[in-house]
Amino acid sequence: MKSDGRKSFDADEIRADFPILSTILHASPGKSGVPLAYLDNAATTQRPRQVIQAIVDTYEKHYANVHRGFTG
């Protein structure tokens, strides 16, 4: 925590929220590899785990075609 009460930036904590950033590249027997570095661009962006889970939750529990099949 900083002296003004703000939390310090923890890159590892932020990386943990993005599943793709746990990818290790160029690993082989006897060689540990390097973590994936992702640089954002205008074409796409990565989503944190919380957003991915919210999308899954929506698809699994909240979408329905109410009355669409009812012809009564």
Side-chain angles (χ1 to χ4, degrees):
M1 182 103 24
K2 295 182 178 181
S3 61
D4 63 2
R6 293 183 296 158
K7 188 177 177 183
S8 297
F9 179 80
D10 183 355
D12 291 329
E13 184 178 334
I14 302 296
R15 286 179 68 87
D17 283 340
F18 293 85
I20 196 169
L21 296 180
S22 65
T23 302
I24 302 298
L25 302 173
H26 310 295
S28 61
K31 187 176 176 186
S32 62
V34 295
L36 174 70
Y38 178 82
L39 303 176
D40 195 16
N41 64 50
T44 189
T45 187
Q46 295 300 313
R47 287 157 184 82
R49 186 177 313 278
Q50 296 86 340
V51 171
I52 294 168
Q53 188 55 51
I55 293 169
V56 169
D57 184 63
T58 299
Y59 282 130
E60 289 180 345
K61 300 175 185 169
H62 303 287
Y63 273 146
N65 293 322
V66 178
H67 305 297
R68 183 175 180 146
F70 183 71
T71 59

